[in-house]
Amino acid sequence: MKKESAKLKTVNPSGGKDVSFFEAVFEVVRQIPKGKVTSYGAIAEALGTKESARMVGWAMNQSHFVKPTVPAHRVVNRQGRLSGKMHFSPPERMQELLEKEGIQIVEDQIIDFQKHFWDPNEMS
DNA sequence: ACGCTGACTATTA
DNA sequence: CTAATAGCCAGCG
């Protein structure tokens, strides 16, 4: 399954100002359906930079400054593990939110991660 | 400008 | 299972 990049809608609100791909990441994350989760790599791939999942994680770091609020709690690593929970206001917040959406978590790991997995490339 | 670090991932041992 | 290694790219001292 190939996936052509060329996504990068690159909303240029100021016209002339370079757009950070973070904006694209934030949009994708905001589009994650409730009760679903995705991985950094999946988002990175959706942006055409699957090799740089780190940049996605780094983008999430800015998510706390961005508005509207970005559901970063729906973004986990490839193992379905809450690797970034420690970066939340209270780390427990992430798990609470996920459980609230119907996702089961044990030992910081999502149960049936694949079942709750949402692929940004699958969205119509 | 250089080197380290990091909310990652895949591979190898 | 864990540990180490490599690739990735932007921010910070």
Side-chain angles (χ1 to χ4, degrees), chain A residues 2 9 35 41 46 48 50 62 88 90 96 98 102 106 120:
Chain A
K2 279 300 281 302
K9 47 188 61 176
K50 76 176 179 63
Q62 313 300 309
F88 278 71
E96 287 233 4
L98 289 171
V106 176

Side-chain angles (χ1 to χ4, degrees), chain A residues 37-102:
Chain A
V37 290
T38 189
S39 61
Y40 303 94
I43 297 170
E45 187 176 347
L47 300 176
T49 56
K50 76 176 179 63
E51 298 285 300
S52 311
R54 278 184 161 165
M55 301 298 85
V56 178
W58 175 64
M60 301 316 313
N61 200 306
Q62 313 300 309
S63 67
H64 292 286
F65 296 88
V66 178
K67 277 174 261 207
T69 310
V70 179
H73 61 271
R74 290 182 185 148
V75 183
V76 295
N77 69 359
R78 213 36 167 160
Q79 302 175 0
R81 194 170 168 193
L82 310 184
S83 48
K85 66 162 194 171
M86 47 179 79
H87 286 258
F88 278 71
S89 327
E92 302 80 51
R93 180 94 179 252
M94 188 175 190
Q95 183 173 329
E96 287 233 4
L97 288 167
L98 289 171
E99 291 184 313
K100 198 171 185 166
E101 307 219 332

Side-chain angles (χ1 to χ4, degrees), chain A residues 7-24 27 30:
Chain A
K7 191 76 174 293
L8 304 171
K9 47 188 61 176
T10 69
V11 292
N12 253 3
S14 300
K17 184 176 188 291
D18 292 283
V19 85
S20 313
F21 84 31
F22 311 134
E23 292 293 321
E27 285 192 44
R30 287 193 207 114

Side-chain angles (χ1 to χ4, degrees), chain A residues 99-111:
Chain A
E99 291 184 313
K100 198 171 185 166
E101 307 219 332
I103 297 175
Q104 304 170 312
I105 302 173
V106 176
E107 296 289 297
D108 298 342
Q109 191 166 308
I110 297 176
I111 306 301

